[in-house]
Amino acid sequence: MHDTIVIVDYGSQVTQLIARRVREARVYCEIVPCHASCEKWRRPELKGVILSGGPASVYAPGAPQLDPELLRLGVPILGICYGMQALAQALGGRVRAAERREFGRTEIACDPTSALFHGLPAQQVVWMSHGDRIEGVPGARIIAHSEGCPCAAVEIPARAIYGVQFHPEVTHTEHGAAIIANFLYRVCGCRGDWTMGSFIDEEIARIRQRVGADGRVILGLSGGVDSSVAAVLLQRAIGGRLTCVFVDNGLLRQDEARQVRALFAAGIGIDLVVVDAGERFLSALAGVTDPERKRKIIGKLFIDVFTEEARRIKAAGGGAVRFLAQGTLYPDVIESVSAHGGPAAVIKSHHNVGGLPQDLGLELIEPFRYLFKDEVRAIGRELGLPESIVWRQPFPGPGLAVRILGEVTAAKVRVLQAADAIVRQEIEAAGLARGLWQYFAVLLPVQSVGVMGDERTYENCCVLRCVTSVDGMTADWARLPPETLGRISNRIINEVRGINRVVYDITSKPPGTIEWE
Ligand code: XMP
């Protein structure tokens, strides 16, 4: 078993980033809701607990409190922001509203003799975001302060208790990753045994054990990175007992079905079934404009197709299919169902998480359910997959349906496919693809007036969406060279009938999301 850190979620939007930083430091961690009983974490591999930030005030009625049992687990604790305040309150300290709230970049003076700041400069920039502050904790030593926050970090070394008012998990905190690593290695004594190589070996063993000697699995291959890497991992584990099902749902990018066939069937030798279900999906989506309804309809149809394929394999004498494998990632789970049960809001139902029926009749295998995309890419590299797969752009399960705002029709899909193909060609030709997380076009149900060849036009607007990101949880719009933007716009307007205006989306995530629906 791997050394494990439990992250208690008090509802911060950046709790996932704590998990990212811990994993980057090669330590396994899990996020759990703040109201879960901590009894079941009492296991030998538990090395420490991190308490996340959160939107509440500890003294507000109904605010989540620290479970006193947590203090009796006998492992080190690091409280971050709200987590620190909840910890302070539980230890008998006073928390109250600060006269001056602190948001953003703040300079602190810290004590490098504390294990938390070991090897770090005594003055450093951190990211603060708090309205309350603690006024001291009995028995604790103050190890950092800022101008507006006399108690920016505290420690009780004898009990291995630490608290920071700032957010070490965000990249704006200059030495945040090092502070978290100090906690993991110097305070918790973690070994750093979480690597992608170890994950692959363990996961292959786990899959073999679950599937047994003669179990069959079908896998929903979408052509994106996650399901592609999952397909290769499962093939390693169970060989020919895996059948990949690629559903051509009529919502794919131009030429996608051919590419997937070439890459997976011809290239890697995976048993691949391509199901042509375009008409079925488009007729189910006719007249539907609500984004969540679209996602639910698509999710349900995917499952219908998978279960039909399972039946077909059985009827053809291939044996009963008991398992459905998917490339679901941790962020999909977190954003869809607030899966760890914390107070974080549901943003959108990722089709492979939110849309599964209770009576699926197939057991799910989701090897990456607790991983982030860059970890999956690292696994792809370890498995020796070609760059063309490892660096494929993420592509959402509901496909172009979440990039065609309003009703989806075959004609709109064709228009968007043509525009999207131009975006991809130009970004790739300019050598910009590797620096971007995603680059694609979105079709708006908005018409505007234009003039082409002395004629008035009244056609749709296309949005160019290009973002940089590490894991899709947060993203920024890409600062593309104006020449590239110009060439893309020119080509789309000249070559794609139905679009007479191209705009560039300059919204980061948050507050936007990457996809438009
Ligand atoms: P958002 O739009 O939520 O997207 O900022 C974050 C990342 O997730 C991808 N995405 C999906 N992936 N099923 C998937 O497998 C989905 O339903 C889905 N919706 C969004 C999106 O492309 C981006 O990379």
Side-chain angles (χ1 to χ4, degrees):
M1 294 307 287
H2 293 283
D3 288 348
T4 299
I5 295 290
V6 163
I7 299 165
V8 181
D9 178 31
Y10 286 100
S12 161
Q13 289 292 337
V14 289
T15 300
Q16 292 72 259
L17 290 182
I18 306 175
R20 295 281 319 118
R21 299 286 99 83
V22 173
R23 299 267 186 99
E24 276 162 11
R26 296 158 71 103
V27 175
Y28 181 73
C29 61
E30 287 171 16
I31 301 177
V32 300
C34 56
H35 47 72
S37 150
C38 56
E39 257 322 297
K40 60 173 186 276
W41 317 334
R42 217 184 266 282
R43 40 189 163 133
E45 61 273 22
L46 180 69
K47 290 288 179 278
V49 173
I50 300 181
L51 313 174
S52 86
S57 276
V58 283
Y59 45 76
Q65 303 295 319
L66 188 101
D67 180 353
E69 273 309 306
L70 224 151
L71 297 169
R72 288 192 274 274
L73 284 173
V75 296
I77 302 177
L78 170 65
I80 295 176
C81 197
Y82 183 88
M84 177 206 200
Q85 294 162 5
L87 188 59
Q89 200 183 41
L91 293 168
R94 252 168 56 90
V95 179
R96 61 178 192 85
E99 282 127 43
R100 219 179 73 201
R101 303 192 314 166
E102 265 185 321
F103 286 102
R105 205 187 133 84
T106 308
E107 186 138 331
I108 58 162
C110 63
D111 180 353
T113 65
S114 161
L116 211 54
F117 296 116
H118 177 87
L120 300 178
Q123 298 280 337
Q124 48 180 285
V125 171
V126 300
W127 194 258
M128 292 277 194
S129 175
H130 66 110
D132 293 344
R133 69 181 212 197
I134 65 170
E135 305 271 291
V137 184
R141 189 169 82 90
I142 295 176
I143 51 171
H145 66 269
S146 71
E147 211 180 295
C149 184
C151 207
V154 291
E155 68 172 12
I156 309 177
R159 297 177 66 185
I161 287 177
Y162 294 80
V164 290
Q165 185 54 73
F166 56 87
H167 288 269
E169 69 274 30
V170 304
T171 45
H172 306 82
T173 293
E174 224 179 353
H175 299 288
I179 293 169
I180 289 177
N182 276 342
F183 176 69
L184 299 173
Y185 288 96
R186 294 189 171 270
V187 180
C188 301
C190 292
R191 290 167 297 171
D193 58 356
W194 173 250
T195 64
M196 289 305 112
S198 67
F199 174 87
I200 291 171
D201 295 341
E202 288 159 13
E203 200 51 41
I204 286 180
R206 223 188 328 258
I207 292 169
R208 284 186 182 145
Q209 202 200 12
R210 246 191 102 190
V211 174
D214 52 5
R216 285 200 71 94
V217 180
I218 58 171
L219 177 139
L221 189 68
S222 73
V225 191
D226 321 325
S227 61
S228 303
V229 178
V232 176
L233 184 73
L234 268 121
Q235 194 201 30
R236 287 274 165 95
I238 58 165
R241 286 181 289 126
L242 169 75
T243 301
C244 290
V245 180
F246 178 75
V247 183
D248 185 346
N249 57 5
L251 304 164
L252 302 172
R253 289 169 290 192
Q254 207 171 69
D255 206 28
E256 181 114 44
R258 193 196 59 75
Q259 275 183 25
V260 165
R261 228 191 272 264
L263 266 173
F264 292 91
I268 303 180
I270 274 181
D271 176 25
L272 180 72
V273 177
V274 179
V275 181
D276 185 359
E279 264 175 38
R280 199 166 157 188
F281 276 73
L282 286 171
S283 60
L285 288 169
V288 180
T289 54
D290 176 67
E292 276 298 285
R293 263 201 73 211
K294 283 188 194 173
R295 282 176 168 272
K296 291 272 156 66
I297 290 171
I298 294 168
K300 179 178 176 308
L301 274 177
F302 265 114
I303 295 301
D304 291 350
V305 173
F306 292 144
T307 39
E308 286 160 21
E309 275 312 303
R311 263 184 247 127
R312 201 190 51 75
I313 291 170
K314 187 175 176 196
V321 177
R322 257 183 53 215
F323 301 92
L324 171 67
Q326 304 195 118
T328 313
L329 295 189
Y330 205 18
D332 305 342
V333 176
I334 292 165
E335 292 200 349
S336 290
V337 285
S338 189
H340 47 105
V346 174
I347 310 293
K348 46 178 94 160
S349 322
H350 283 214
H351 85 284
N352 42 1
V353 181
L356 295 178
Q358 298 291 347
D359 56 349
L360 179 62
L362 292 166
E363 288 176 47
L364 280 183
I365 295 183
E366 296 180 315
F368 307 147
R369 197 177 169 82
Y370 293 100
L371 300 193
F372 293 93
K373 190 166 310 263
D374 49 330
E375 292 178 312
V376 172
R377 287 207 161 111
I379 290 171
R381 278 194 299 273
E382 287 267 338
L383 288 170
L385 294 191
E387 294 275 294
S388 53
I389 294 184
V390 172
W391 289 104
R392 274 177 91 76
Q393 296 195 59
F395 187 63
L400 299 184
V402 292
R403 297 179 181 171
I404 294 173
L405 274 69
E407 186 188 5
V408 181
T409 63
K412 288 186 193 170
V413 170
R414 277 193 298 275
V415 170
L416 183 57
Q417 279 176 334
D420 186 71
I422 292 172
V423 174
R424 285 189 286 150
Q425 284 159 18
E426 290 299 331
I427 295 284
E428 283 155 25
L432 298 167
R434 272 295 276 276
L436 298 176
W437 170 265
Q438 269 169 300
Y439 42 100
F440 57 85
V442 176
L443 188 65
L444 299 189
V446 169
Q447 288 177 302
S448 72
V449 174
V451 52
M452 276 178 106
D454 293 333
E455 293 280 343
R456 175 186 193 269
T457 59
Y458 189 55
E459 290 176 345
N460 283 91
C461 178
C462 163
V463 179
L464 179 58
R465 181 73 165 143
C466 300
V467 296
T468 54
S469 175
V470 176
D471 51 25
M473 298 297 300
T474 57
D476 200 3
W477 58 278
R479 274 56 171 177
L480 291 185
E483 312 78 59
T484 310
L485 289 171
R487 212 173 12 252
I488 292 173
S489 163
N490 245 332
R491 278 195 60 197
I492 291 179
I493 291 168
N494 283 317
E495 296 173 32
V496 184
R497 275 280 181 99
I499 295 177
N500 69 346
R501 193 174 293 268
V502 175
V503 298
Y504 192 44
D505 181 352
I506 53 167
T507 318
S508 60
K509 171 184 180 175
T513 54
I514 297 174
E515 305 289 346
W516 271 49
E517 285 191 340

